[in-house]
Amino acid sequence: MKKVKKAIIPAAGLGTRFLPATKAMPKEMLPIIDKPTIQYIVEEAVESGIEDIIIVTGKGKRAIEDHFDHAFELEMNLAEKGKIRLLEEVRRSSGVDIHYIRQKEPRGLGHAVWCARRFIGDEPFAVLLGDDIVQSEVPCLKQLIQEYETTGASVIGVQPVPDHETQRYGIIDPKAKQGRLYQVRNFVEKPQPGQAPSNMAIMGRYVLTPDIFRILDLQEEGAGGEIQLTDAIQKLNELEQVYAYHFQGVRYDVGEKLGFILTTLDFALRHQELRGPLLQAMEEFLEKSTLPKVIG
């Protein structure tokens, strides 16, 4: 069995939920404390044993490439000033072998994955979406890779969501369960309210066999007029078993404003230097007798 050593990170989206901030800056570069969101995703991939990463970008995403490149003048300046810890943090983002390809038109997640087919070749591979950050003792992707090595089949990361949110996600229709691993009858992309077959939602982590590319070659447009990866996974499931795995860890949704704010707040409360001052500031804020003026 071939090992999972390559990963695709789709990053070609327009980031419309964060406009006007994302007019000139990729949403993947929006920082959680002091690291852009995409760096959390790259670090998870590397910690899971991934050796080669391809980021699928689009127009206006050059900042992502610059971030993961060496910044010689900056590094020299930090070294001269003796800022060793900060220098190590900066170098951490440039010590990964990353490749890039452009998705020339916004045709959906399935199409973005298809764009990287020549890079992947005939190997199993991972897909990590930038809207989901997962904090766990064992990296989320590594958990899926371990299941792949046991089953020899594609494995999709899932976690439960409230019933009223199922229409926002791809949802699995489970057939059987063994521990945290599900055999799946159907994968349903964004079911209509009240029609979801379960509340187990696909959470932006995938390990897939290269057979998915033959399906994506012919995949028609689905929800939102885009080529949906979930639709292709369902067709793959009809040809060979595709599993879902209820991964362990806390998943943060950084793809929309409230989730991004809550993620930043939670990470700040876990930050050694920020926790104390932040708690004090929050206490003072809550003690104010008047609510702040509503903006936006």
Side-chain angles (χ1 to χ4, degrees):
M1 182 191 303
K2 292 183 178 180
K3 298 288 187 180
V4 180
K5 295 297 182 182
K6 294 180 178 180
I8 301 171
I9 301 177
L14 298 176
T16 53
R17 292 177 181 174
F18 289 93
L19 285 170
T22 50
K23 179 182 177 183
M25 179 174 68
K27 71 170 184 176
E28 294 82 8
M29 291 301 296
L30 293 174
I32 303 294
I33 311 301
D34 53 7
K35 270 195 301 193
T37 56
I38 195 169
Q39 186 170 335
Y40 291 95
I41 310 304
V42 168
E43 289 176 359
E44 179 188 328
V46 173
E47 291 166 4
S48 300
I50 296 298
E51 297 176 358
D52 289 291
I53 296 171
I54 186 164
I55 299 179
V56 183
T57 66
K59 185 178 179 180
K61 301 282 186 168
R62 183 60 186 270
I64 296 174
E65 298 182 38
D66 290 341
H67 177 72
F68 289 108
D69 200 356
H70 286 283
F72 296 104
E73 291 184 8
L74 174 61
E75 292 176 18
M76 186 179 299
N77 182 272
L78 292 173
E80 290 174 352
K81 293 182 178 179
K83 297 182 178 181
I84 304 304
R85 187 182 66 82
L86 193 54
L87 176 61
E88 291 174 352
E89 285 295 320
V90 169
R91 285 178 172 170
R92 189 177 182 184
S93 66
S94 56
V96 184
D97 192 8
I98 298 181
H99 312 262
Y100 301 90
I101 190 171
R102 276 204 172 191
Q103 184 184 23
K104 296 181 180 179
E105 51 184 324
R107 299 186 60 195
L109 176 58
H111 181 260
V113 171
W114 178 84
C115 287
R117 65 198 182 283
R118 291 189 177 90
F119 173 82
I120 298 299
D122 63 350
E123 301 178 37
F125 64 99
V127 179
L128 302 94
L129 304 190
D131 284 350
D132 300 288
I133 293 175
V134 181
Q135 296 285 287
S136 55
E137 184 174 341
V138 177
C140 176
L141 180 59
K142 188 172 184 178
Q143 296 177 47
L144 300 189
I145 291 174
Q146 290 171 344
E147 295 301 318
Y148 167 80
E149 291 174 346
T150 299
T151 63
S154 297
V155 184
I156 314 301
V158 297
Q159 278 198 337
V161 297
D163 290 340
H164 67 274
E165 292 186 5
T166 53
Q167 68 268 22
R168 295 178 51 204
Y169 300 92
I171 301 292
I172 67 166
D173 179 9
K175 182 168 54 176
K177 179 183 178 185
Q178 183 175 1
R180 305 179 76 90
L181 188 68
Y182 291 85
Q183 290 185 14
V184 181
R185 184 179 295 106
N186 292 298
F187 294 84
V188 183
E189 177 64 19
K190 296 179 180 177
Q192 293 296 315
Q195 297 182 15
S198 76
N199 71 334
M200 298 300 293
I202 298 172
M203 290 298 184
R205 297 294 184 274
Y206 311 76
V207 173
L208 298 168
T209 63
D211 299 317
I212 194 74
F213 291 119
R214 295 202 306 268
I215 296 170
L216 288 171
D217 282 338
L218 304 172
Q219 184 63 45
E220 298 176 352
E221 294 179 352
E226 297 180 336
I227 296 175
Q228 297 291 346
L229 182 60
T230 303
D231 294 342
I233 290 171
Q234 170 57 23
K235 290 185 178 179
L236 180 64
N237 190 46
E238 295 168 3
L239 300 174
E240 60 185 51
Q241 181 68 65
V242 177
Y243 292 92
Y245 183 73
H246 180 185
F247 62 84
Q248 295 178 298
V250 179
R251 173 253 183 182
Y252 298 87
D253 181 1
V254 296
E256 49 89 23
K257 292 177 185 176
L258 180 58
F260 185 87
I261 293 168
L262 293 175
T263 301
T264 302
L265 183 61
D266 190 64
F267 277 45
L269 289 171
R270 297 169 186 267
H271 194 285
Q272 184 176 357
E273 296 176 5
L274 295 177
R275 178 179 173 84
L278 177 58
L279 285 171
Q280 181 177 348
M282 290 172 62
E283 185 176 347
E284 293 172 357
F285 180 80
L286 292 172
E287 286 177 353
K288 292 181 180 179
S289 59
T290 59
L291 292 173
K293 182 180 178 181
V294 176
I295 61 174

